[in-house]
Amino acid sequence: MILATRKVSGVSSQAPGPRARNRRGQGDRLRADILTAAANILDETGDEQAVTLRAVARRVGIAAPSIYGHFPDRQAILLAIVREAFADLAEQLSQAAAADSGDQVARLYAICDAYLDFASTHPQRYRVMFGGLWSAAEAVRDGALSETEAAELGLDSLRLVADSLDRCVKAGHSASTDVLADAVALWVGLHGLAHQRSLALEFPWPPDIAARLIDALARLRSTVDR
Amino acid sequence: MILATRKVSGVSSQAPGPRARNRRGQGDRLRADILTAAANILDETGDEQAVTLRAVARRVGIAAPSIYGHFPDRQAILLAIVREAFADLAEQLSQAAAADSGDQVARLYAICDAYLDFASTHPQRYRVMFGGLWSAAEAVRDGALSETEAAELGLDSLRLVADSLDRCVKAGHSASTDVLADAVALWVGLHGLAHQRSLALEFPWPPDIAARLIDALARLRSTVDR
DNA sequence: TGTACATCAGTGAACGCGCGTTCACTGATGTAC
DNA sequence: TGTACATCAGTGAACGCGCGTTCACTGATGTAC
C-alpha cells in the first residue's frame, strides 16, 4: 500500500501512461508535445533549470534521446518557448486592440490591461521572457538567434502601444508631443509593474496603480479636460 | 610550453595562489572572502547557477567543504549576496539624498539617477535581486528568510523615493495628490527601465527616457509653472 | 619559562545524483515493383 | 495482390561530468597550569 501511494505521487508529474507512437508522417506532433510539456514545467516550477531534457521527456512519456529528432539541444527548446510566448503576447494584445469601440482611450487601456493580464496569467513564463537565466544576449552570442530577430522580440507589443497612443493624441486625449518616446516610457512602466508582480511577493499595491502609470505616462488628459 | 599556457588560462578564474590560513579568531575573514568571490562570479557570468560551492571555493582558493563553516548551504550564500546588494542600494540612494541643495526636484532626480546607476553598474546582480532564479518567495518557503524581512527588502529605497516626492509636493513642484501611490508608480517605472536595461539588449532608448518617466510619474510641474 | 592540551581553521577523499549527449539498435509503417 | 525494402519514429544502455554534501582527519595556534 505504501509502495502504491509512493508510486502515485512519484508519477504525478508525468504523463498518464506510455505514449502511443506517432504514425509515419506525423512525427512533428512530438515537437508540439515537447514544447507544451516544457512550457508547463516552466509555469509550474518557475525555474528555467527545471526544464531539463530528461524532465521534459518524462512528462511527454518518451525516452530522452527522442528529443534530438526535434531539437538540436536544450537551449533550442527554451528558445522555442520564448518565441512562442512572445507570439502569444502579441496576439493577446492584437485581440484587445481589435475591439475598437471608437473610444481611443478605452482602446489604449484595453491593450495595457491585456499586457498586464498576460503577465499575471503566466508569471513564470513572463519572467523567463524577460531575462530569467535565458537571456536573448546569450542566445545571440551562441548564434541560436539572429541579432535582428532578438531586437524584434518585444517590438510588436511596443508598436501596438505606440500606435494606440498616437490615436489618443489625434483624438485630443493625450498631451504627448513625442509619441514614440512616450510609448517606450509607457511600455517600460507596464513592464516594471508586470515584472514586479510576477515575483509573487505580497506587496500592498495601490488599487489604481495600473491606471496611475498609464494616465501619467500616456499623458492622458482627465475626462473633464483640465 | 603548451601545458604552461593551458595552466595559466585554466587558472585565470581562480585566486592567484593558495590562500594563507587565517589566524585563530579571524576565521570570519573567510566569510567575507566567500561573499565577494560569489558576488564576482555572479557579476561576471550573470548566472546564478554559476555560483556553485565548488566554483566559489576555487576562486577563494580553499577546499569546497570549508564553506560549511560559514554557510549552512548554497542558498545561504545567494541570500547573503542579495541582502548585501539591497543594503548597498539603500546606501547609494541615501548618499544621493544626503547632498541636499535645497532644490527638492534636483534631490528627487539625484535619488532616481542613483537607482538607475546602481542597476547599470551591477546589471547581473540587479537581475538576481529582483527574481532571477533566486526568488524571495522561494527563500521564504524554505524558511531561510522571514516573511517580514522579505517584504522589507526593497522598502528602504521606496521610502526614500516617497519622502523625496513628498518634499517636492510641499515645495510646490509636484502635483501629486497621493504621494505614496505615486511613489510606488515612480519606483515601478524606475524598476522597469533598470530591469530592461540590465538585459543588455541593444535598444534605441530615447535619450531622455529616464526624465520622461520621472517627470510624468512624479507629476512634476515644468520649470515655468504651466 | 616550559609544556600539555583544547580549539580553531580548515583539508582530502568519497558518496550518490541527475544531467546532456552519443551510440548502435528496433520494430512498425508505408511504398515501389 | 503480394512482397521486399527503405524510412520513420523512436528506444535502452552507457559515457563522463560537475555538483552538494558527509566524513574522518590534520596541523598550526593560542592558553592553562
Side-chain angles (χ1 to χ4, degrees):
Chain A
M1 287 295 267
I2 288 171
L3 193 72
T5 311
R6 275 226 185 110
K7 215 174 168 192
V8 166
S9 78
V11 166
S12 72
S13 69
Q14 303 183 2
R19 196 191 133 83
R21 168 177 303 227
N22 279 313
R23 314 201 70 145
R24 244 173 119 171
Q26 312 203 307
D28 280 352
R29 282 198 186 164
L30 182 52
R31 195 193 134 88
D33 287 357
I34 290 171
L35 276 187
T36 2
N40 287 342
I41 292 175
L42 196 58
D43 279 349
E44 285 166 25
T45 66
D47 181 357
E48 213 170 328
Q49 293 295 319
V51 183
T52 64
L53 287 188
R54 292 174 120 105
V56 171
R58 270 193 297 273
R59 176 162 304 215
V60 178
I62 56 171
S66 305
I67 293 181
Y68 287 93
H70 302 274
F71 296 92
D73 56 17
R74 201 186 91 98
Q75 167 161 253
I77 300 181
L78 285 168
L79 184 54
I81 291 182
V82 169
R83 253 196 261 257
E84 228 177 35
F86 270 108
D88 272 13
L89 173 58
E91 210 203 294
Q92 302 265 332
L93 298 202
S94 292
Q95 279 181 19
D100 190 345
S101 66
D103 180 344
Q104 298 305 334
V105 172
R107 187 169 179 272
L108 178 63
Y109 258 88
I111 293 173
C112 293
D113 285 349
Y115 189 97
L116 295 174
D117 277 355
F118 178 90
S120 63
T121 309
H122 312 288
Q124 314 295 3
R125 223 180 292 182
Y126 184 83
R127 258 177 47 210
V128 175
M129 286 166 74
F130 292 99
L133 182 50
W134 179 91
S135 127
E138 201 176 322
V140 168
R141 185 166 14 83
D142 296 355
L145 188 66
S146 82
E147 207 159 326
T148 58
E149 205 191 354
E152 196 69 16
L153 268 182
L155 233 54
D156 293 342
S157 322
L158 180 58
R159 267 194 284 261
L160 249 167
V161 170
D163 166 67
S164 182
L165 179 55
D166 193 41
R167 297 195 193 195
C168 289
V169 171
K170 289 194 172 118
H173 297 307
S174 163
S176 172
T177 56
D178 184 339
V179 169
L180 185 56
D182 282 328
V184 171
L186 174 52
W187 184 82
V188 161
L190 289 174
H191 169 66
L193 180 57
H195 184 254
Q196 197 53 221
R197 276 181 170 165
S198 80
L199 299 180
L201 277 180
E202 277 136 53
F203 183 83
W205 294 108
D208 60 345
I209 179 71
R212 208 166 273 272
L213 278 163
I214 297 169
D215 287 358
L217 293 172
R219 304 181 188 270
L220 295 184
R221 303 184 205 275
S222 59
T223 329
V224 197
D225 200 20
R226 66 165 132 177
Chain B
M1 291 292 265
I2 289 172
L3 193 71
T5 312
R6 274 225 186 112
K7 215 174 170 191
V8 166
S9 77
V11 166
S12 71
S13 68
Q14 303 182 2
R19 196 190 134 83
R21 168 178 302 229
N22 279 313
R23 316 201 68 146
R24 247 174 116 169
Q26 312 203 308
D28 280 353
R29 282 200 186 162
L30 182 51
R31 194 193 133 90
D33 288 355
I34 290 171
L35 276 187
T36 2
N40 287 342
I41 293 175
L42 196 57
D43 279 349
E44 285 165 25
T45 66
D47 180 357
E48 214 170 326
Q49 293 296 318
V51 183
T52 65
L53 287 187
R54 291 173 120 106
V56 171
R58 269 193 298 272
R59 175 163 304 216
V60 178
I62 55 170
S66 306
I67 293 180
Y68 286 94
H70 303 273
F71 297 92
D73 57 17
R74 201 187 91 99
Q75 167 160 254
I77 300 182
L78 285 168
L79 184 54
I81 292 182
V82 169
R83 255 196 260 256
E84 229 177 34
F86 271 109
D88 272 12
L89 173 60
E91 210 202 295
Q92 302 265 333
L93 298 203
S94 293
Q95 279 182 18
D100 190 343
S101 67
D103 180 343
Q104 299 306 333
V105 172
R107 188 170 180 270
L108 179 62
Y109 258 87
I111 293 173
C112 293
D113 283 349
Y115 189 97
L116 296 174
D117 277 356
F118 177 89
S120 64
T121 309
H122 313 287
Q124 314 295 2
R125 223 180 292 183
Y126 184 84
R127 258 177 47 211
V128 175
M129 287 166 74
F130 292 98
L133 182 50
W134 180 89
S135 128
E138 200 176 323
V140 168
R141 186 165 14 82
D142 296 356
L145 187 68
S146 83
E147 206 159 328
T148 58
E149 204 190 355
E152 197 69 17
L153 267 182
L155 233 53
D156 293 342
S157 322
L158 180 57
R159 268 194 284 261
L160 250 167
V161 170
D163 166 67
S164 181
L165 179 55
D166 193 40
R167 298 195 193 196
C168 289
V169 172
K170 288 194 173 118
H173 297 308
S174 163
S176 172
T177 56
D178 184 341
V179 170
L180 186 56
D182 282 328
V184 171
L186 174 52
W187 184 81
V188 161
L190 288 175
H191 169 66
L193 180 57
H195 184 254
Q196 197 53 222
R197 276 180 170 164
S198 78
L199 300 180
L201 277 181
E202 278 137 52
F203 183 83
W205 295 107
D208 60 345
I209 179 72
R212 207 165 275 272
L213 277 163
I214 297 168
D215 286 358
L217 292 171
R219 302 179 190 271
L220 296 184
R221 304 183 206 276
S222 58
T223 328
V224 197
D225 200 18
R226 65 165 138 179

